[in-house]
Amino acid sequence: MGAATAGQQAGGTPDKLRHVESMSERPSGAGSISGISAVVLGESLADEEHELVFPSAEFSATALVSSPQQYKEMYERSIKDPAGFWSEIADAFYWKEKWNPSEVCSENLDVSKGPVHISWFKGGKTNICYNAVDRNVEAGNGDKIALYWEGNEPGQDGKLTYSELVEKVCQLANYLKSVGVGKGDAVIIYLPMLLELPIAMLACARIGAVHSVVFAGFSADSLAQRIVDCKPKLVLTCNAVKRGPKPILLKDIVDAALVESEKNGFSVGICLTYENQSVMKRQDTKWQAGRDVWWQDVVTNFPTKCDVEWVDAEDPLFLLYTSGSTGKPKGVMHTSGGYMVYTATTFKYAFDYKPTDIYWCTADCGWITGHSYVTYGPLLNGAAVLVFEGTPNYPNAGRCWDIVDKYKVSIFYTAPTLVRSLMRDGDEYVTRYSRKSLRVLGSVGEPINPSAWRWFYNVVGDSKCPISDTWWQTETGGFMMTPLPGAWPQKPGSATFPFFGVQPVIVDEKGQEIEGECSGYLCIKKSWPGAFRTLYGDHDRYETTYFKPFAGYYFTGDGCSRDKDGYHWLTGRVDDVINVSGHRIGTAEVESALVSHPQCAEAAVVGVEHEVKGQGIYAFVTLVDGIPYSEELRKSLIAKVRTQIGAFAAPDRIHWAPGLPKTRSGKIMRRILRKIAAKQLDELGDISTLADPGVVDQLIALKDC
């Protein structure tokens, strides 16, 4: 179906809606679904506020989970018999030694009953690298492409088959062993999205070393913090990278971090550096003899076969540092067996993966999404994965769709921030490309507002691709709630229902579970295989942060609403909930209302002190290109929020924002926005990780407009 008319885009009814009978089967606890209009994917546009969007009969016919009834049966089994459910799935992987059948899962999530602990597949020995790479070669898929690589500049590309990938991994693993890296040793990886990044992760996993990937956009101070905390045997990096037209001298950042870590009592002996020749030659790279080693000079000399280190299911696989409220990063620790089984399974079902799919996740491996859904989850399924070094809007806003057409991408997984950014640049950058290969779309990182969902679905997906709107966290290891694209109908902006084995509950401030239609704090009442096991070196903080707020539950830190049909709607972090005159308002709700205004491209909302209300709502608003700031528009934006949420949610202040402060992965740095809103300009802190630090000065200049 073609583009909607202006009236349809504003909320009118499309001409060709095929209404579908309401659904009678729901997961336990879901309310009845009745009186809601529904459309079938591929037949009409999604533009009604409360409609259900169904997969087409053709999509469901070949889907791994093809109906609500099938989902319900699988889900109920996963809850009633988690040991049997997950053991059956785990059996599909290679285990050197089988786990103890009586100890598939052991847990205590209740701090009042002793130390918190979680374990899965106790006694089992396996290796995630072997299962992700060697097993695919042994199955006869050695000639299948494992990794495609698209460089920063159009025309730069590469690829590795599964056979080639295992050889590259083995060479690096042999080098690491030669310099003393062994089971349990930490390795810091500070690399951009070159093929060497997933290769490095897999090489560490092969020999039982614990990798800690640090996003190659963090400052030297942030990198040094992580080095001092996990004390790696060596650091892997490259000399430089380009992001868009801008060169970044990564080796200089690493050098500064190594100096800083030495001041804090820890010295790294080896810095293995990949020469990224398209950006910087080795003769132009600063060098410290005796410590620095060129990757190309040593790694390629090692054998292409390397024995696998078989590790216990509960041995650590990686550390990934995430921000903490104290300012000290938290070293989230994931282990091998459960994480392997969970990431592979979530990838398979959430994207309805087929062996013919070409899969592209735009995330960087410096974040959990790049671990679970660029590297491990897809490769464990034998997928062909696209690794993208560049930025999605360079050299223009059509780059994503150019890449989709070039590689015939069928599954495209990205963040709402990117979706909104591309919306702002206009449909023509999308529609000039075919995109006919696309089959499933995905969203990750934050709640996606309904207007962005609809644009993603209608324009990018041509009204035929289901959207897997995934909710999960660094700590969870994999998806916790997501639509299964062939089964449940979708509501734009809802994460829908829990994944297999996940038991979400919504509790009130006293920790009491709330049934039916409600809002509150999102908790999980039982463990799942992909759960993190501790915070490295600080188990007390692990318990205090995640398990003490509500005894007996894992507290996600997120707010959540459940509607009358049982669908879940994430409302943002509870520290991003504003209490205005006794009304608890999720910042994501206000942002969604603002972005639904046709002249608003993006919005970020924070709370500020208010002498009458306690807290007021302060909104940073980025307008669609070409729209001028005006008092009339300011009033119109406030009216939109009043209409969609209520007068109590109306922003007290609209702050015009040519751009928002974001990390290079697209995350909005609300910490900075809070300081600007509170006029605490001398407390902005480190802005070096921002994609464009100049945005901060622009916002400060406009603070009184």
Side-chain angles (χ1 to χ4, degrees), residues 202-283:
L202 290 162
C204 290
R206 189 174 195 84
I207 61 174
V210 181
H211 62 70
S212 183
V213 183
V214 179
F215 172 57
F218 273 114
S219 66
D221 285 348
S222 297
L223 177 57
Q225 264 187 320
R226 288 152 174 79
I227 290 170
V228 170
D229 192 65
C230 74
K231 297 178 174 50
K233 279 285 183 77
L234 79 163
V235 173
L236 302 182
T237 190
C238 78
N239 52 353
V241 67
K242 266 192 174 181
R243 290 199 178 93
K246 183 182 178 184
I248 312 288
L249 305 182
L250 293 183
K251 179 64 163 50
D252 287 2
I253 296 170
V254 172
D255 287 348
L258 295 178
V259 169
E260 186 64 26
S261 61
E262 197 162 353
K263 287 179 185 174
N264 285 283
F266 183 75
S267 179
V268 176
I270 298 173
C271 178
L272 182 65
T273 306
Y274 185 82
E275 182 187 358
N276 196 4
Q277 296 173 353
S278 65
V279 182
M280 176 184 258
K281 303 301 181 189
R282 61 172 63 190
Q283 58 266 29

Side-chain angles (χ1 to χ4, degrees), residues 328-405:
K328 182 189 176 186
K330 298 175 292 190
V332 171
M333 192 184 86
H334 282 283
T335 53
S336 298
Y339 175 84
M340 175 180 76
V341 172
Y342 196 71
T343 53
T345 308
T346 48
F347 173 83
K348 175 182 175 179
Y349 287 108
F351 295 121
D352 189 50
Y353 170 72
K354 305 288 195 295
T356 53
D357 280 318
I358 306 296
Y359 168 76
W360 180 20
C361 171
T362 63
D364 191 289
C365 289
W367 311 108
I368 186 62
T369 305
H371 284 60
S372 299
Y373 300 113
V374 173
T375 304
Y376 292 117
L379 295 179
L380 286 164
N381 281 278
V385 183
L386 177 62
V387 176
F388 179 44
E389 179 195 21
T391 56
N393 53 5
Y394 175 80
N396 60 55
R399 183 71 188 279
C400 281
W401 322 121
D402 181 44
I403 293 171
V404 165
D405 283 357

Side-chain angles (χ1 to χ4, degrees), residues 653-687:
R653 173 76 192 279
I654 300 286
H655 186 136
W656 302 123
L660 295 171
K662 299 174 186 175
T663 64
R664 294 184 186 92
S665 67
K667 181 179 180 181
I668 297 169
M669 295 292 283
R670 286 176 170 79
R671 167 183 63 80
I672 293 171
L673 296 179
R674 291 190 191 96
K675 296 299 182 184
I676 293 173
K679 299 182 179 178
Q680 297 169 336
L681 303 182
D682 57 342
E683 298 177 24
L684 293 176
D686 181 13
I687 62 172

